[in-house]
Amino acid sequence: MKGISYRGNHICFGRYALQALEPAWITSRQIEAGRRAMTRNVRRGGKIWIRIFPDKPVTVRPTETRMGSGKGSPEYWVAVVNQYRRYANIGDVIVAVIKEAVPNMPLERSEVIRAVIVRTCKELKRDNGMIIRYDDNAAVIIDQEGNPKGTRIFGAIVRELRQLNFTKIVSLAPEVL
């Protein structure tokens, strides 16, 4: 499987989403196991939307069988998921994994963290017609209350973060556009 998803890559419902980092087949059993784990975690405090459906049948036949006699009955069903099924915009809270870390720091490699997107290469359109586009993507690591874990922020950020109640991040930034 190859290719990047151009549709269905934004959040339509809710605040959080899972994004596929590589193309894969997800079986109906895996979808059901994920649904059960998420339902147990949110209890009655949240709602879950599952936007994939296992609509591709997979048949399994031994390699030593002779040709002919049809394809066989489906063994299981899978949902085809393409790469980058969901993009994050400025102000979105994402769950990420640290790929590289500097030694002797409080954050370690392969640690799961929460972060808020502060800069994207994808342009941001304002109501007055202004378009803001950055040269890089950047995020600020936050704790459970939404406060930044660090004490310094490098580079400019947009003022829309203030409206999303990230005032501490806005006050630490050297420039607000």
Side-chain angles (χ1 to χ4, degrees), residues 5-75:
S5 177
Y6 292 106
R7 292 173 34 192
N9 52 14
H10 62 280
I11 294 180
C12 293
F13 311 106
R15 297 171 124 188
Y16 302 102
L18 296 177
Q19 177 187 12
L21 295 178
E22 56 190 32
W25 284 357
I26 300 177
T27 65
S28 57
R29 288 173 177 243
Q30 291 171 331
I31 295 169
E32 179 61 18
R35 185 197 65 78
R36 285 183 183 170
M38 288 186 289
T39 305
R40 246 184 249 120
N41 192 13
V42 298
R43 296 185 186 93
R44 283 185 288 190
K47 195 164 187 179
I48 296 172
W49 291 273
I50 297 176
R51 308 250 341 256
I52 58 174
F53 186 79
D55 55 358
K56 181 183 178 80
V58 176
T59 58
V60 178
R61 293 188 68 191
T63 55
E64 59 271 359
T65 56
R66 294 179 180 233
M67 292 287 131
S69 73
K71 188 174 179 181
S73 61
E75 293 289 324

Side-chain angles (χ1 to χ4, degrees), residues 114 116 140-143 145-153 166-172:
R114 293 179 65 213
V116 61
V140 174
I141 299 172
I142 58 174
D143 58 10
E145 289 82 37
N147 297 322
K149 283 194 174 181
T151 57
R152 293 171 59 190
I153 295 176
F166 293 112
T167 53
K168 182 74 174 170
I169 294 173
V170 173
S171 65
L172 288 174

Side-chain angles (χ1 to χ4, degrees), residues 87-90 119-124 132-134 136-137:
Y87 290 131
N89 296 324
I90 292 177
R119 285 195 301 270
T120 59
C121 294
K122 176 78 174 154
E123 64 269 355
L124 170 74
I132 298 175
R133 184 183 304 130
Y134 293 102
D136 62 343
N137 298 319

Side-chain angles (χ1 to χ4, degrees), residues 64-114:
E64 59 271 359
T65 56
R66 294 179 180 233
M67 292 287 131
S69 73
K71 188 174 179 181
S73 61
E75 293 289 324
Y76 57 94
W77 295 78
V78 297
V80 178
V81 176
N82 285 337
Q83 189 176 11
Y84 302 127
R85 188 72 182 163
R86 155 55 178 115
Y87 290 131
N89 296 324
I90 292 177
D92 287 350
V93 176
I94 60 170
V95 178
V97 176
I98 297 176
K99 298 258 183 182
E100 296 177 11
V102 180
N104 302 325
M105 294 298 278
L107 299 172
E108 297 178 5
R109 230 177 120 259
S110 72
E111 185 178 342
V112 178
I113 51 143
R114 293 179 65 213

